[in-house]
Amino acid sequence: MKSDRPNPSAKMSFTLCSFFFVVLLYLWFSINEVRFAALRRLGQSAVSNFQYQTVGKSLVENTTSSPPDSPPDDIRVLVGILTLPDNYERRSFLRLIYGTQSTLGAQVDMRFVFCNLTNENHKILVALEIMRYNDIIILNCKENMDKGKTYTYFSSLPEIFDDPEGPSPPYHYVMKGDDDSYFRLANLVQSLRPLPREDLYYGYVVPCPSMDPFNSKVYMAGMGYLISWDIVEWIRTSEIPRNHTEGPEDKVFGEWIRQGHRAKNRYNAKWSMYDYPTPPTKCTHEFWPDTIVIHKLKDQERWIKTLKYFNVTNDLPPSKLYHIL
């Protein structure tokens, strides 16, 4: 008959197994506690780091959006090139000329300006240009040279660029230029930086030998003259220009300024503005690096000589696609 008393060796084995089981549980909990603490610290570090980056980014954005040494306002210039609807080739050429120029630190918008389209072909072709380039202003007028086109150009701008959500004024300066003038935009901007942004009349004083822009008998030549936006707004509302629109446009414009007692600030950009060197006249001189505007580029040969002098293609990058000596 078997005994009911437990086997001493079995009892010992059970005790040892229980002991080792307890030790293993302790070790398992200890290890996981360490892991949990590490994970908690990692999580806290990540949260802290995220908070630091978020606050830091905000601080950086607030600090760098208007650095103390940055200019308070970029110069904004509108250059309107008065031309004719059928001058497609000239506009394409000028887009190349001005599209490769840099005006870092300033906004210079080139726009081609003409009156209402009456030719059916123009309505299609000009519409395509606008869709592609969006650089054309069509005024509500009949095409002309000295019968009010310049007045319509300046007086229309406040309404055209009226945008409550845009900058005020939309442009600091507005220029009227000819399509046979070559504007070197960086030099233009540089010459404007020290000048007032109100009541300014800027250009090439004519008659050519004249140098005093305040002389009552002079005015700025039509090759390219510039005014501040406040004078643009005055032209829109004043009876003086509205009642005197016909005649040589640059001379008539000078009469507006004189009769309206405008432009207490005037700047004669001579001799950085001049006519093409040949044939020599009182309005010409040789090319020089500080040029702002050259006028009377009537043919391709004159344009090529001008562009060659100013090395406008020197920055052409090397490429396997072409080889130009």
Side-chain angles (χ1 to χ4, degrees):
M1 188 173 177
K2 294 183 178 179
S3 173
D4 291 334
R5 290 179 296 176
N7 189 330
S9 82
K11 184 177 180 181
M12 180 62 69
S13 297
F14 176 79
T15 302
L16 290 174
C17 288
S18 299
F19 174 77
F20 284 116
F21 180 73
V22 171
V23 170
L24 288 173
L25 283 176
Y26 175 79
L27 291 174
W28 185 84
F29 280 114
S30 299
I31 291 171
N32 279 278
E33 184 178 1
V34 172
R35 287 180 177 176
F36 177 76
L39 288 172
R40 183 175 58 188
R41 288 194 298 270
L42 180 61
Q44 291 173 340
S45 175
V47 170
S48 300
N49 190 45
F50 173 77
Q51 292 173 338
Y52 171 78
Q53 289 178 349
T54 304
V55 173
K57 182 179 180 183
S58 176
L59 289 173
V60 169
E61 288 175 346
N62 291 335
T63 303
T64 59
S65 59
S66 299
D69 58 346
S70 66
D73 209 357
D74 285 343
I75 295 178
R76 298 186 297 276
V77 185
L78 173 67
V79 181
I81 306 298
L82 272 61
T83 184
L84 299 173
D86 56 0
N87 286 354
Y88 299 105
E89 292 185 5
R90 176 58 60 88
R91 288 195 292 278
S92 296
F93 180 68
L94 292 178
R95 287 185 182 110
L96 291 176
I97 299 299
Y98 298 122
T100 56
Q101 295 192 39
S102 174
T103 56
L104 187 64
Q107 174 188 339
V108 181
D109 293 338
M110 310 294 295
R111 297 289 183 264
F112 299 104
V113 182
F114 38 81
C115 291
N116 287 322
L117 304 178
T118 56
N119 182 296
E120 292 301 317
N121 292 344
H122 292 164
K123 292 180 181 180
I124 298 297
L125 297 175
V126 170
L128 287 172
E129 283 188 272
I130 294 173
M131 292 169 66
R132 175 62 181 86
Y133 300 105
N134 194 29
D135 61 357
I136 290 175
I137 296 175
I138 301 179
L139 304 172
N140 185 19
C141 56
K142 183 178 180 180
E143 196 58 63
N144 68 89
M145 179 180 292
D146 294 325
K147 293 187 177 182
K149 183 176 180 179
T150 297
Y151 168 74
T152 305
Y153 165 58
F154 283 111
S155 63
S156 300
L157 295 178
E159 182 177 358
I160 291 173
F161 292 102
D162 180 24
D163 181 4
E165 298 182 358
S168 180
Y171 294 98
H172 298 111
Y173 306 109
V174 174
M175 196 163 207
K176 174 267 166 186
D178 289 346
D179 64 3
D180 64 344
S181 293
Y182 172 48
F183 292 86
R184 302 188 68 226
L185 302 180
N187 284 5
L188 171 64
V189 169
Q190 190 64 25
S191 71
L192 292 173
R193 289 197 179 281
L195 301 184
R197 295 187 178 182
E198 292 184 352
D199 214 18
L200 177 69
Y201 184 30
Y202 169 114
Y204 175 98
V205 173
V206 287
C208 294
S210 304
M211 293 299 292
D212 180 10
F214 290 94
N215 186 309
S216 62
K217 296 182 180 180
V218 307
Y219 52 92
M220 302 300 184
M223 68 171 76
Y225 52 86
L226 174 146
I227 55 175
S228 52
W229 185 259
D230 58 301
I231 296 182
V232 174
E233 293 180 325
W234 172 79
I235 292 172
R236 177 173 177 76
T237 59
S238 173
E239 295 292 331
I240 292 173
R242 184 180 298 120
N243 295 329
H244 181 23
T245 60
E246 296 192 12
E249 59 91 15
D250 48 0
K251 185 176 182 180
V252 167
F253 191 95
E255 291 171 356
W256 298 346
I257 296 295
R258 183 169 59 255
Q259 293 173 17
H261 304 287
R262 300 285 141 173
K264 69 176 180 293
N265 301 306
R266 303 185 188 184
Y267 183 81
N268 179 18
K270 193 180 291 184
W271 290 99
S272 292
M273 302 173 70
Y274 52 95
D275 286 346
Y276 186 79
T278 57
T281 69
K282 292 181 179 180
C283 298
T284 67
H285 62 71
E286 295 302 312
F287 294 128
W288 65 10
D290 292 334
T291 296
I292 295 173
V293 180
I294 299 177
H295 186 221
K296 294 190 176 179
L297 301 180
K298 299 293 185 182
D299 53 50
Q300 188 178 56
E301 181 181 0
R302 289 188 174 193
W303 274 102
I304 296 302
K305 287 183 177 179
T306 301
L307 299 175
K308 185 176 181 180
Y309 173 83
F310 291 108
N311 299 316
V312 297
T313 60
N314 272 13
D315 293 332
L316 179 69
S319 173
K320 294 180 180 179
L321 295 176
Y322 47 77
H323 181 64
I324 300 178
L325 295 177

